[in-house]
Amino acid sequence: MPRRVNPVERAREAARKPMQSVTLNSLEGLAAQMLGGPLTPTQKEFIFAKERVCWYTGPVGTGKTAAVIASILLPAMMLPGSRWFIGRAVYWTLEETTQKKFVEACDRLGPDVIIDREVGPPYKIWLAPAVRNEDGTPAEPSEIILYSLDNIGKLKSMEFTGAAIDEANEVDQQMAATLNERLRLKLPSQERAVGPFFLRMSSNPVTRNHWLHKKFCGEEDCELPPWGRKFWASREENQHNLPPDYYEEISKGMTTDQRIRFIDGNCGPNPEGEGVFAKDFVSATHTAALKWDANRPGMRGWDFGRRRPACVWAQEQANGSIWRFAALLGDNETLQAFIRRVQQRTVQQFPDCKSWTEYVDPHGNQRKDNTEKTSIDTMREAGLHVHFRDVQVSTGLDLMGEDLNIMVQGKPKAMFDIAGCGILIEGYQGGYRWPVSKWGGVLREKPVADGFYEHVMDADRYIIVNKRMGSTPQNIERFKRAHRKVRNPLTGY
């Protein structure tokens, strides 16, 4: 078996090759090469910032993850013998998103820069330094480690020169502070650890009660002085890299609060009330880049909101877990038009799925607007064979909460695709809320009928109720309810 060459030896061999002198202009060009195009003004400021702690935020599509990666890669090449950390809350989200963009950035630098890799976890690379020692001898390589913050204890007391947290909104302040305490590595050229040290974070804008807002925004409701420097990118900076009418299209169906955060790029207001699942749902645990199994059937949950229907795509796994892959909310459209949109998206996103089961609102057989046709009639006319079960809302909410807290083979029984379930994830995070009484107390009888999150959450609830309790024709349910005086607290009968 061939001997694995020590990374230091490989770096020294690479360093024997002549390298051009490094200037600010060439550094900016090197960063642009990593990103695959020119830097935006805010990316440039952030990457070359001298402050120890920085947070990059702004609307979606402003290159935040790319900037935070370059803010680590570039100084790693300039500080021989340094060690760096890039992380997200949990490993599978790191591996499917941040790590992929990191590998792309490394590959753009060419084969002579990355001198060794370990796939891991943790994922590690060693970089050939861009400079030599003062005496002209080859310099030590720098190391970059990509790992999840929920496993950082496995790195024990490892020290770093700098660290980056992508999607920092997923972690708490204590985790960021713990990582900041690890920034104390002594470079080979130093007699003692004097830095420079860097903690870089990026995320979408948060609500005003989030610790990132409290620590960085410097406003009336924030802590002073700020912990570090906030970098805010405007959506105009990167629009040339986005599809035409990008923001106009993605803003359709968003609430006012969502537009404030994801379109305008500002920290949003704190919603009133208490999230129904806010204490049970943890983004870092319950969301990931999920992989659809083409050999298994699919499920769709439907809610018939007035002019605002909703659909959730899901799949039951072999271990009984239910993974949600997509969620769609109608926007002032008929059920017929929405069904066509759902069918079109199904063909585009899940072309290999040959079998679908439809779980719907059990009250969809009620006639509205003096018409003889019900919502379920409309579904059946479209060739969709529906299933439903009528139970109390509280019963369904209890089942949904249980699935969030049950672990199956190391993952929650309820999982959500981070790319396809944006509105559903926000509902679980706290958008779907209990109402507040006029005296300020929380009323836990029925969630707020907000005309937005309620519809996708209801569609998801129909899937869980039917999978956990089975589907029964509604007339039988009514017969049971009418003839039983004592109801089971679990089923509502």
Side-chain angles (χ1 to χ4, degrees), residues 349-408:
Q349 190 168 350
F350 310 102
D352 298 326
C353 186
K354 297 178 176 59
S355 173
W356 290 94
T357 302
E358 320 295 343
Y359 297 117
V360 305
D361 181 354
H363 302 104
N365 62 357
Q366 296 176 353
R367 291 176 173 81
K368 301 177 182 179
D369 300 330
N370 298 319
T371 178
E372 293 298 317
K373 186 182 297 185
T374 69
S375 296
I376 288 180
D377 290 336
T378 302
M379 295 278 290
R380 287 170 174 160
E381 287 179 359
L384 303 175
H385 303 286
V386 303
H387 302 259
F388 49 84
R389 180 153 187 162
D390 190 8
V391 300
Q392 294 178 350
V393 173
S394 59
T395 301
L397 298 179
D398 289 343
L399 295 175
M400 294 163 77
E402 288 177 11
D403 281 4
L404 292 174
N405 290 287
I406 295 174
M407 300 297 289
V408 180

Side-chain angles (χ1 to χ4, degrees), residues 120-432:
Y123 184 92
K124 298 181 181 180
I125 69 161
W126 286 266
L127 296 172
V131 295
R132 290 173 174 265
N133 294 326
E134 292 184 359
D135 60 3
T137 58
E140 301 294 306
S142 294
E143 179 183 5
I144 302 179
I145 300 172
L146 284 84
Y147 209 28
S148 57
L149 289 165
D150 64 343
N151 280 318
I152 195 171
K154 294 182 179 179
L155 299 179
K156 298 181 179 179
S157 58
M158 186 175 290
E159 299 173 343
F160 302 99
T161 309
I165 305 175
D166 191 25
E167 303 298 345
N169 57 299
E170 298 175 346
V171 305
D172 59 25
Q173 181 183 344
Q174 182 57 50
M175 181 60 72
T178 299
L179 194 55
N180 188 41
E181 293 168 3
R182 298 283 192 95
L183 306 184
R184 54 177 184 260
L185 181 70
K186 182 177 76 69
L187 297 177
S189 60
Q190 298 174 343
E191 295 183 1
R192 58 187 295 254
V194 295
F197 302 111
F198 303 106
L199 177 60
R200 300 290 181 257
M201 293 176 281
S202 67
S203 77
N204 288 321
V206 295
T207 54
R208 301 185 75 86
N209 58 2
H210 196 280
W211 70 268
L212 283 168
H213 172 74
K214 298 290 186 183
K215 284 290 187 179
F216 284 92
C217 291
E219 300 177 13
E220 292 182 359
D221 58 344
C222 300
E223 299 176 15
L224 297 175
W227 185 26
R229 183 179 172 188
K230 173 185 174 181
F231 291 80
W232 182 83
S234 71
R235 66 187 189 186
E236 289 77 20
E237 291 184 37
N238 199 45
Q239 271 193 309
H240 60 281
N241 288 322
L242 300 174
D245 302 323
Y246 174 74
Y247 290 105
E248 289 76 6
E249 289 298 323
I250 67 170
S251 66
K252 292 179 179 178
M254 284 188 177
T255 64
T256 300
D257 293 351
Q258 288 177 312
R259 291 190 183 97
I260 290 173
R261 291 171 55 200
F262 303 120
I263 304 301
D264 300 333
N266 298 314
C267 292
N270 301 321
E272 293 184 355
E274 180 182 298
V276 176
F277 301 108
K279 294 181 180 179
D280 299 313
F281 186 87
V282 181
S283 296
T285 303
H286 292 97
T287 67
L290 303 179
K291 186 177 180 180
W292 181 267
D293 187 345
N295 296 316
R296 301 189 67 81
M299 304 177 289
R300 290 184 293 217
W302 299 76
D303 184 65
F304 308 124
R306 183 176 175 84
R307 302 293 296 181
R308 195 160 234 185
C311 182
V312 172
W313 287 258
Q315 189 177 59
E316 185 175 17
Q317 305 303 299
N319 60 16
S321 298
I322 296 180
W323 290 5
R324 284 74 148 184
F325 285 86
L328 182 65
L329 180 64
D331 187 15
N332 191 30
E333 60 188 305
T334 65
L335 179 58
Q336 293 95 327
F338 185 73
I339 290 173
R340 288 192 293 271
R341 277 217 293 154
V342 168
Q343 291 174 327
Q344 182 180 19
R345 179 165 178 176
T346 300
V347 171
Q348 292 173 341
Q349 190 168 350
F350 310 102
D352 298 326
C353 186
K354 297 178 176 59
S355 173
W356 290 94
T357 302
E358 320 295 343
Y359 297 117
V360 305
D361 181 354
H363 302 104
N365 62 357
Q366 296 176 353
R367 291 176 173 81
K368 301 177 182 179
D369 300 330
N370 298 319
T371 178
E372 293 298 317
K373 186 182 297 185
T374 69
S375 296
I376 288 180
D377 290 336
T378 302
M379 295 278 290
R380 287 170 174 160
E381 287 179 359
L384 303 175
H385 303 286
V386 303
H387 302 259
F388 49 84
R389 180 153 187 162
D390 190 8
V391 300
Q392 294 178 350
V393 173
S394 59
T395 301
L397 298 179
D398 289 343
L399 295 175
M400 294 163 77
E402 288 177 11
D403 281 4
L404 292 174
N405 290 287
I406 295 174
M407 300 297 289
V408 180
Q409 297 178 346
K411 292 184 179 181
K413 188 174 182 179
M415 291 290 296
F416 303 81
D417 184 72
I418 197 168
C421 294
I423 185 174
L424 187 60
I425 290 171
E426 287 189 9
Y428 273 96
Q429 286 174 329
Y432 188 53

Side-chain angles (χ1 to χ4, degrees), residues 14-33:
R16 293 192 180 97
K17 300 177 182 179
M19 301 188 77
Q20 297 178 352
S21 61
V22 178
T23 64
L24 179 60
N25 288 336
S26 63
L27 283 177
E28 183 178 343
L30 187 59
Q33 183 178 346

Side-chain angles (χ1 to χ4, degrees), residues 425-490:
I425 290 171
E426 287 189 9
Y428 273 96
Q429 286 174 329
Y432 188 53
R433 311 184 71 77
W434 299 115
V436 178
S437 72
K438 61 182 179 180
W439 297 281
V442 177
L443 303 175
R444 292 181 174 83
E445 297 177 358
K446 187 176 180 180
V448 174
D450 61 357
F452 192 80
Y453 293 115
E454 61 164 323
H455 297 308
V456 290
M457 297 299 291
D458 285 350
D460 194 50
R461 176 161 54 86
Y462 304 143
I463 294 175
I464 303 307
V465 165
N466 281 272
K467 290 306 298 180
R468 292 284 296 273
M469 301 178 66
S471 303
T472 307
Q474 191 180 22
N475 61 339
I476 296 178
E477 300 286 346
R478 286 179 172 174
F479 178 84
K480 289 181 179 179
R481 290 192 173 199
H483 290 81
R484 291 187 60 176
K485 295 181 179 179
V486 180
R487 292 188 178 185
N488 184 310
L490 175 64

Side-chain angles (χ1 to χ4, degrees), residues 98-128:
T98 312
Q99 185 171 309
K100 283 186 176 180
K101 291 187 177 181
F102 174 81
V103 172
E104 291 172 359
C106 290
D107 290 341
R108 292 189 188 106
L109 296 174
D112 295 333
V113 175
I114 310 302
I115 57 174
D116 207 358
R117 305 180 194 233
E118 287 183 3
V119 176
Y123 184 92
K124 298 181 181 180
I125 69 161
W126 286 266
L127 296 172

